[in-house]
Amino acid sequence: MSGDERDEPHTLQEKIVYLLDHAFPDGAPSDREFCRIVESHGGALSHSYFGKLRKGQITEVRDETLQALALGFGIANWRFFKDQTDVVEDVMAGLALLAGTRTGDISGIAGRSIGEEGMSAEMLDFVLEQVRKFQQGDGSPEATTP
């Protein structure tokens, strides 16, 4: 690797630190200032929680937290902050659902209360599992949610 090449940030902490170093031309804001930025864009994030994220003390977070981070950094797609494995799982589940709709195995799904990010990987997996159960003759799909 040459001196000009940099490793891409992979962990949540690395992504936060990278963006703090590069997204603010006048210098990185304090944890409190960053959380005020998030709040001014309609999100919510406490400065103490953000500090723990920045230091790598917290690594498992909910999607809502990732969405708040995206608001603070001005990133259009909050999935940038997800672990690569999570994104791959989301994509694979989405592709399986898409394949099912194209083959006619899945039809008539109403996307109620689904945001612009689409269904979660858990919801997609649930739908696909219900379709598999139905196709195997295990009865009609369960009327429960994940």
Side-chain angles (χ1 to χ4, degrees), residues 26-47:
D26 297 330
S30 69
D31 294 348
R32 285 183 192 274
E33 292 169 332
F34 182 80
C35 291
R36 283 189 205 113
I37 293 169
V38 170
E39 190 174 303
S40 72
H41 289 91
L45 189 64
S46 77
H47 70 279

Side-chain angles (χ1 to χ4, degrees), residues 121 129 146:
E129 180 62 25

Side-chain angles (χ1 to χ4, degrees), residues 46-66:
S46 77
H47 70 279
S48 59
Y49 191 78
F50 177 70
K52 290 177 182 177
L53 292 172
R54 181 179 47 77
K55 294 173 190 170
Q57 295 170 336
I58 297 175
T59 58
E60 299 291 324
V61 298
R62 296 174 19 173
D63 289 349
E64 292 81 9
T65 300
L66 301 179

Side-chain angles (χ1 to χ4, degrees), residues 16-30:
I16 290 170
V17 170
Y18 178 86
L19 288 169
L20 286 171
D21 290 344
H22 293 88
F24 298 94
D26 297 330
S30 69

Side-chain angles (χ1 to χ4, degrees), residues 2 4-5 26 33 37 40-41 57 84 88 105 108 111 119 139 146:
S2 72
D4 292 336
E5 291 179 3
D26 297 330
E33 292 169 332
I37 293 169
S40 72
H41 289 91
Q57 295 170 336
Q84 183 178 3
V88 169
D105 292 335
M119 281 193 240

Side-chain angles (χ1 to χ4, degrees), residues 81-98:
F81 291 103
K82 289 188 88 166
D83 183 299
Q84 183 178 3
T85 303
D86 293 339
V87 174
V88 169
E89 288 173 3
D90 288 352
V91 170
M92 296 305 292
L95 289 174
L97 184 62
L98 178 62

